Amino acid sequence: MNRELQLDQQSLVSAWQERLPALMEDGDSFSVQGDAADPSSLLVHFNAAGRQAYSLDFRCTYVDSREVAVSLIDAEEAGRQTDERSDAVQLLAQRYTRQIHECAQALQDLTNP
């Protein structure tokens, strides 16, 4: 059975922009855009609420119509590069990775009809 993603990238971006806010914590913000280098990938940018002003960038790649691979690309604190291994960044990365997986799961009615 072919489980290849059938949805075009722009439709996917729109669906993510609609669904992701419901999964986020108060005060956090995000943006989603297509990855120009890969039509099956999205770039998700999170801004964490709080005084530290962390922002994290992820690549979310559809392995097939049901599964995504998530990788942390970049972490910044107050606009400057920060250590991705710090506890604060790791906690945020885990939370956002979980939210990305939850969003992908919530959109399976679109991606895996």
Side-chain angles (χ1 to χ4, degrees):
M1 182 183 221
N2 183 1
R3 295 196 195 286
E4 199 173 305
L5 186 65
Q6 302 296 320
L7 205 57
D8 70 278
Q9 196 178 53
Q10 194 49 53
S11 299
L12 208 51
V13 168
S14 297
W16 275 74
Q17 288 171 336
E18 285 176 29
R19 188 62 62 97
L20 195 53
L23 303 170
M24 305 233 354
E25 298 192 11
D26 286 349
D28 286 0
S29 63
F30 75 96
S31 63
V32 180
Q33 64 185 48
D35 183 346
D38 181 358
S40 64
S41 290
L42 301 174
L43 300 175
V44 187
H45 174 84
F46 289 97
N47 292 308
R51 291 190 305 273
Q52 285 88 13
Y54 283 111
S55 64
L56 282 75
D57 293 308
F58 294 87
R59 177 174 288 112
C60 172
T61 303
Y62 276 84
V63 178
D64 61 27
S65 61
R66 296 185 311 183
E67 184 184 351
V68 293
V70 180
S71 56
L72 176 62
I73 301 170
D74 186 40
E76 293 185 352
E77 182 179 1
R80 287 187 304 279
Q81 214 53 50
T82 190
D83 186 356
E84 294 171 10
R85 295 168 308 221
S86 74
D87 288 347
V89 171
Q90 285 299 306
L91 286 170
L92 285 171
Q94 288 169 6
R95 182 170 89 204
Y96 293 141
T97 297
R98 187 176 63 250
Q99 290 171 343
I100 289 170
H101 280 289
E102 287 172 3
C103 189
Q105 220 166 7
L107 293 172
Q108 277 193 9
D109 54 335
L110 284 177
T111 61
N112 189 38

